[in-house]
Amino acid sequence: MDGSNESLLRERLQTGFLGLIAFSLLLFMLVQAKFILISLAIAIILFSLTSDAIHAISTRLRVPNWLATTLALIGIALGLLWISTTIVAQVNEVVFLAISYAERAQAALPALAERLGPEAQERIITAVTNFNITGWIRSLAGQASGLLSGSVLVILFVGFMFAEQVWFPLKIERLAQSPEKARQIRRIIASIMHRVNRYLVVKTAVSAVTAAIVWVIFRAMGLELATAVALLTFILNFIPSVGSIVATVIAVMLAFVLTGDTTVTLIVGALCTLTQFVIGNVLDPMLLGQTLRLSSFGIILSLAFWGAIWGVPGMFLAVPIMVALMIICAHIPWLRSVAVLLSREGLPDAGDVEPAPARPATTAG
């Protein structure tokens, strides 16, 4: 009896060590290949967003599938290149103006800190002096320049996915080896695509409205960098919970740096905070409804994990990855408990959709 217990304990320890080694290797691969994996994840999302639209256009408007696919790929390529060049241009503008306004900010800061007392004023001045904002901004500009190479890689990935999409149903059927398993796999993929697509479409619209309001606020107050702040607000709003806070803080800091006026800074801060609060707590939940059904605590953990692994891009991809993980775990019996923990109400299957009928491979043209 004791021998069987020792053998069972030994097997569990071996399984635990093997699992720990596998997890460590997975983390190593995620970190080392993060550029390729991030580009691949973005390409999958873009492919998911456009594939259903292409099928609908080719069916309703009787446009050849190859023509609709080609036009979609050209649109994705032009859109990614335009977004990348726009971000790089805005970052360069921010770098130029931030460096020129750095001395003004350091001169205006003591006037703001006087109200907090001499000790707080001394600490703030010391912190600002030790913070190398010029080096940080130049580093940010270097990272933004990498968007162009990443965009080219994403375009290549999406192009090959479009070329291979006609064979996906056949591959699923042959991998599953049974019609029932193939149907289940298609149901999982359809559910992931449905929830992620709806989330991204709604989030894009909400972020665009927020960015437009922030642009109007900056223009109404006569501040520079209105376009750059609006673009930054649009991008950061894709990061749940913390993105809107960071965008508001950056807007307030830039308002103070550009003007040195406490009153203008407070007005900009109040208006931006009110905009983020109303849109984030009223409009966003009303449009998203029960689409995601993700645990708020799980979202924070996902943000922390993927932010530590992939940096800022990982925080953008945290929610789509968490949605995919929850749906996949919900369909695996021994992992369903993980899906229940990741879901908000313990109902990870709610909102699932039936997969579209598989199209035969002969419809490639």
Side-chain angles (χ1 to χ4, degrees), residues 54-66:
I54 290 172
H55 178 57
I57 292 173
S58 61
T59 301
R60 296 178 182 177
L61 301 181
R62 300 185 182 277
V63 177
N65 189 62
W66 65 268

Side-chain angles (χ1 to χ4, degrees), residues 37-73:
L37 293 176
I38 290 171
S39 302
L40 179 60
I42 296 174
I44 292 173
I45 290 174
L46 291 176
F47 174 78
S48 173
L49 285 170
T50 54
S51 58
D52 288 341
I54 290 172
H55 178 57
I57 292 173
S58 61
T59 301
R60 296 178 182 177
L61 301 181
R62 300 185 182 277
V63 177
N65 189 62
W66 65 268
L67 179 59
T69 302
T70 303
L71 293 176
L73 184 58

Side-chain angles (χ1 to χ4, degrees), residues 104-117 120-121 124-125 128 252-253 255-257 260-263 265-266:
R104 179 188 298 184
Q106 291 182 354
L109 191 61
L112 179 64
E114 283 180 358
R115 305 180 181 180
L116 303 177
Q121 179 180 359
I124 292 175
I125 294 175
V128 172
V252 172
M253 291 176 60
F256 177 72
V257 169
D261 190 334
T262 307
T263 303
T265 302
L266 292 176

Side-chain angles (χ1 to χ4, degrees), residues 40-205:
L40 179 60
I42 296 174
I44 292 173
I45 290 174
L46 291 176
F47 174 78
S48 173
L49 285 170
T50 54
S51 58
D52 288 341
I54 290 172
H55 178 57
I57 292 173
S58 61
T59 301
R60 296 178 182 177
L61 301 181
R62 300 185 182 277
V63 177
N65 189 62
W66 65 268
L67 179 59
T69 302
T70 303
L71 293 176
L73 184 58
I74 293 174
I76 291 174
L78 294 177
L80 284 176
L81 293 177
W82 177 79
I83 291 173
S84 301
T85 54
T86 301
I87 291 176
V88 171
Q90 293 299 323
V91 168
N92 289 334
E93 182 181 354
V94 171
V95 170
F96 176 77
L97 289 178
I99 293 175
S100 62
Y101 277 96
E103 295 182 359
R104 179 188 298 184
Q106 291 182 354
L109 191 61
L112 179 64
E114 283 180 358
R115 305 180 181 180
L116 303 177
E119 295 183 359
Q121 179 180 359
E122 183 178 355
R123 291 177 181 177
I124 292 175
I125 294 175
T126 303
V128 172
T129 303
N130 294 332
F131 181 63
N132 187 12
I133 187 171
T134 303
W136 181 80
I137 291 175
R138 286 175 176 169
S139 175
L140 179 63
Q143 294 179 7
S145 300
L147 288 173
L148 292 174
S149 57
S151 299
V152 173
L153 188 58
V154 170
I155 293 169
L156 291 176
F157 281 150
V158 174
F160 282 108
M161 287 180 188
F162 278 131
E164 291 285 332
Q165 68 173 336
V166 69
W167 303 107
F168 287 165
L170 183 60
K171 290 181 179 180
I172 291 175
E173 291 179 3
R174 291 181 175 176
L175 286 172
Q177 297 181 350
S178 72
E180 183 62 29
K181 288 184 179 179
R183 187 176 182 279
Q184 184 182 15
I185 294 175
R186 290 199 301 269
R187 181 184 178 187
I188 293 173
I189 296 175
S191 297
I192 294 173
M193 292 176 62
H194 171 71
R195 294 199 197 183
V196 173
N197 289 354
R198 178 171 173 78
Y199 165 75
L200 291 176
V201 170
V202 172
K203 206 65 179 177
T204 300

Side-chain angles (χ1 to χ4, degrees), residues 163-362:
E164 291 285 332
Q165 68 173 336
V166 69
W167 303 107
F168 287 165
L170 183 60
K171 290 181 179 180
I172 291 175
E173 291 179 3
R174 291 181 175 176
L175 286 172
Q177 297 181 350
S178 72
E180 183 62 29
K181 288 184 179 179
R183 187 176 182 279
Q184 184 182 15
I185 294 175
R186 290 199 301 269
R187 181 184 178 187
I188 293 173
I189 296 175
S191 297
I192 294 173
M193 292 176 62
H194 171 71
R195 294 199 197 183
V196 173
N197 289 354
R198 178 171 173 78
Y199 165 75
L200 291 176
V201 170
V202 172
K203 206 65 179 177
T204 300
V206 171
S207 299
V209 172
T210 307
I213 296 175
V214 171
W215 183 86
V216 170
I217 292 172
F218 265 66
R219 295 293 295 178
M221 301 302 296
L223 301 177
E224 298 179 83
L225 299 177
T227 303
V229 174
L231 180 61
L232 188 62
T233 301
F234 175 79
I235 295 173
L236 289 176
N237 268 24
F238 281 88
I239 301 178
S241 304
V242 299
S244 58
I245 298 175
V246 174
T248 303
V249 171
I250 292 177
V252 172
M253 291 176 60
L254 284 176
F256 177 72
V257 169
L258 293 173
T259 63
D261 190 334
T262 307
T263 303
V264 173
T265 302
L266 292 176
I267 293 175
V268 171
L271 292 176
C272 290
T273 302
L274 180 62
T275 300
Q276 295 282 8
F277 179 81
V278 172
I279 293 179
N281 292 275
V282 178
L283 183 61
D284 201 354
M286 181 180 64
L287 294 177
L288 279 177
Q290 303 296 321
T291 300
L292 295 181
R293 293 183 176 271
L294 295 177
S295 166
S296 300
F297 182 67
I299 291 176
I300 296 299
L301 288 180
S302 182
L303 285 174
F305 177 80
W306 291 108
I309 297 297
W310 287 348
V312 176
M315 300 180 74
F316 288 107
L317 298 171
V319 170
I321 292 175
M322 187 177 173
V323 170
L325 181 63
M326 182 185 71
I327 295 175
I328 292 173
C329 290
H331 290 83
I332 300 176
W334 60 279
L335 287 177
R336 185 170 176 80
S337 57
V338 176
V340 172
L341 292 175
L342 293 177
S343 63
R344 184 173 58 189
E345 302 166 357
L347 300 172
D349 296 324
D352 282 2
V353 296
E354 288 297 322
R359 284 174 284 167
T362 56

